[in-house]
Amino acid sequence: MRNPFDIAFDISFLPSTGGFGTHTAQSLRYFIKHDTKRNYLLLENEIPPLTSQTQNRDENRAARWRKLPPHWRYEKTTRRSRLLWMLYDLPILLKKYKPRIFHSLDNVTVPARLDFCQTVLILHDMIPISHPHYCRLQDAIICRWLFHRAIKNASKIFTVSHYSAEQIVKHYPHAEPKLSIIPDGVDHERFFPIEDQERLAESLAQKYRLYSPKYFLIVTTLSPRRNVTRFVKAYAEHVKRAQEKETCLTIAGCRGWKNHDVFAMTRDLGLDNRVHFLDYVPDYELTELYQSAFALAQPSLLEGFGLVVLEAMACGAPVICSSTTALGEVSGAAARTFDPLDEHSISQAISDIYRDDSIRKDLSRRGIDHAKKFHWETTTKQVINLFDSILE
């Protein structure tokens, strides 16, 4: 007897801020567009708004939800513990509906092996395993078990960059035969350059009460590996060296953990009026921030991909970013890169962008062209091809 559902798709992170939420939203969008002949079972375990990434879940979900094909089914649960949902509720749901594939997007949510269902897993990065000091201790400990279990039980695995693939194989060599690389994409209907960038910048400066409409933008969840503290120091060095009074630094994103140092340092450096922390901003406002930014900065010490870099490039923002891990790979020759551990290297990149408008224009042009190589539609079609290799 044919299984009633082809694919069970875990959309639990649809309302969350960050990469998991973006990937889930775009996957849902293009599965509906390109794979409607198959029967999908959408599974959502509502994640409590206990962290900054989930506090705006209702707003995000409303903006990202799509009308489903009539033969698709949606099933919602409300287990507060994600781990208990994975170990208890998920197997019950899968045995009830018997899909042929379970598709997981959050690195670790994989059911025990079932004879009727195979798992296609995305591993965005190996950070809890390769660099556990960038995680909370309890998260790093539990992730060692969760990653091992997920990689062992998954039928096929894909990741988003060559850097992440190398890290996966380094720590789990047995994953290599079932591992593919499928880069993330860019939503070009949402992220695109505008002609009157200066007018929008003036409007946003008034809206957010920025020191200047000429702002360097950082989009990130504040945490140690995002390296914002070192970037603020480098920005202060640039301001002092150049006696620069024209720009400001605007940081958009949720507050993660161990983020208090950056606020204290900003005060100690006397930059309270030049560094602005916007916290969470809605999707549409983030687009406007990209489109009108003087430059986008991504100083992170470690990334599995670099979606923020590509989204900013698609909007025409010149990009300065770390040269290490996946950021150098994803940005290619379209960004001005720096050593994220060297404050002087970062400061020099800031000054280069500030002093030379021709550099900004060249980076903007190259960034727009580079971002065109990345499309969520292409990404999702490659995932569907993975499904095909199992189902057909």
Side-chain angles (χ1 to χ4, degrees):
M1 179 179 176
R2 186 179 183 275
N3 295 31
F5 289 98
D6 299 300
I7 297 152
F9 176 30
D10 179 15
I11 64 165
S12 299
F13 287 88
L14 182 69
S16 67
T17 300
F20 287 0
T22 299
H23 200 113
T24 305
Q26 294 298 331
S27 297
L28 177 61
R29 175 184 180 184
Y30 286 107
F31 288 158
I32 289 174
K33 183 175 180 179
H34 293 294
D35 209 23
T36 52
K37 291 183 179 180
R38 292 200 175 114
N39 296 324
Y40 275 69
L41 168 66
L42 303 188
L43 300 176
E44 179 179 11
N45 184 59
E46 186 173 79
I47 301 172
L50 302 177
T51 65
S52 57
Q53 286 82 5
T54 56
Q55 286 175 356
N56 301 91
R57 66 182 187 183
D58 294 338
E59 181 179 0
N60 285 339
R61 194 180 188 286
R64 297 168 180 174
W65 180 256
R66 302 276 170 169
K67 183 179 179 181
L68 303 180
H71 55 289
W72 289 25
R73 184 179 180 90
Y74 168 69
E75 185 90 13
K76 182 178 180 179
T77 52
T78 55
R79 175 78 69 174
R80 291 181 66 84
S81 166
R82 181 73 178 172
L83 181 60
L84 286 179
W85 183 80
M86 179 183 73
L87 296 176
Y88 179 74
D89 299 288
L90 179 59
I92 291 174
L93 288 166
L94 295 179
K95 289 175 183 177
K96 176 181 177 181
Y97 291 108
K98 289 187 167 48
R100 298 171 65 191
I101 290 175
F102 173 72
H103 183 36
S104 173
L105 273 74
D106 74 338
N107 290 341
V108 298
T109 300
V110 173
R113 290 183 179 179
L114 301 167
D115 57 5
F116 58 83
C117 182
Q118 299 189 55
T119 295
V120 174
L121 168 69
I122 177 172
L123 285 172
H124 298 267
D125 57 61
M126 282 278 106
I127 292 169
I129 308 302
S130 62
H131 297 78
H133 53 286
Y134 289 140
C135 305
R136 296 179 178 87
L137 178 60
Q138 64 269 29
D139 293 340
I141 292 172
I142 189 65
C143 277
R144 298 200 73 83
W145 175 69
L146 289 173
F147 271 70
H148 174 79
R149 179 183 180 277
I151 290 170
K152 177 182 176 182
N153 290 345
S155 306
K156 290 187 180 293
I157 301 168
F158 67 95
T159 191
V160 292
S161 66
H162 290 279
Y163 170 78
S164 288
E166 290 169 0
Q167 291 296 306
I168 293 168
V169 173
K170 175 182 177 180
H171 293 277
Y172 300 96
H174 58 284
E176 187 170 13
K178 49 187 176 182
L179 179 64
S180 304
I181 299 172
I182 302 178
D184 283 344
V186 174
D187 181 357
H188 292 277
E189 293 180 13
R190 177 183 162 200
F191 300 111
F192 54 88
I194 58 172
E195 291 186 5
D196 202 348
Q197 180 261 352
E198 291 184 2
R199 182 176 178 181
L200 178 59
E202 290 281 359
S203 174
L204 292 178
Q206 292 180 13
K207 177 178 180 178
Y208 292 116
R209 298 181 180 179
L210 305 182
Y211 171 86
S212 166
K214 189 179 287 188
Y215 61 89
F216 289 89
L217 175 67
I218 294 177
V219 178
T220 190
T221 299
L222 292 176
S223 66
R225 75 176 170 93
R226 266 40 193 276
N227 204 30
V228 176
T229 300
R230 188 176 279 112
F231 190 90
V232 171
K233 286 183 182 178
Y235 178 70
E237 178 186 322
H238 154 75
V239 168
K240 182 178 180 180
R241 181 179 62 244
Q243 294 296 298
E244 192 257 281
K245 299 180 180 179
E246 294 183 71
T247 70
C248 64
L249 174 59
T250 300
I251 301 166
C254 301
R255 304 188 184 197
W257 68 298
K258 290 188 177 181
N259 55 56
H260 300 294
D261 287 354
V262 68
F263 303 110
M265 177 170 296
T266 299
R267 291 191 298 271
D268 293 344
L269 292 171
L271 291 176
D272 275 8
N273 66 327
R274 300 280 294 269
V275 179
H276 307 276
F277 296 93
L278 304 186
D279 295 330
Y280 166 83
V281 297
D283 288 351
Y284 74 91
E285 291 185 11
L286 180 59
T287 301
E288 293 180 338
L289 286 168
Y290 283 144
Q291 289 171 328
S292 60
F294 184 70
L296 182 283
Q298 173 52 290
S300 182
L301 298 172
L302 176 60
E303 294 293 329
F305 189 63
L307 189 56
V308 166
V309 164
L310 293 177
E311 290 174 346
M313 286 179 174
C315 291
V319 170
I320 60 174
C321 72
S322 302
S323 59
T324 57
T325 66
L327 288 172
E329 172 188 338
V330 170
S331 62
R336 164 66 164 88
T337 59
F338 52 75
D339 179 351
L341 294 173
D342 185 344
E343 290 170 20
H344 180 69
S345 176
I346 301 171
S347 180
Q348 190 61 54
I350 296 171
S351 295
D352 289 347
I353 287 284
Y354 169 72
R355 287 196 312 262
D356 195 334
D357 196 51
S358 65
I359 293 178
R360 290 185 63 254
K361 290 179 179 178
D362 181 57
L363 288 176
S364 175
R365 176 186 55 79
R366 283 193 279 160
I368 292 170
D369 291 340
H370 183 64
K372 290 177 182 177
K373 302 173 185 176
F374 299 84
H375 293 264
W376 280 114
E377 190 159 16
T378 302
T379 298
T380 311
K381 284 181 178 179
Q382 291 182 51
V383 177
I384 293 171
N385 288 339
L386 278 184
F387 297 161
D388 291 342
S389 68
I390 294 173
L391 297 175
E392 298 178 357

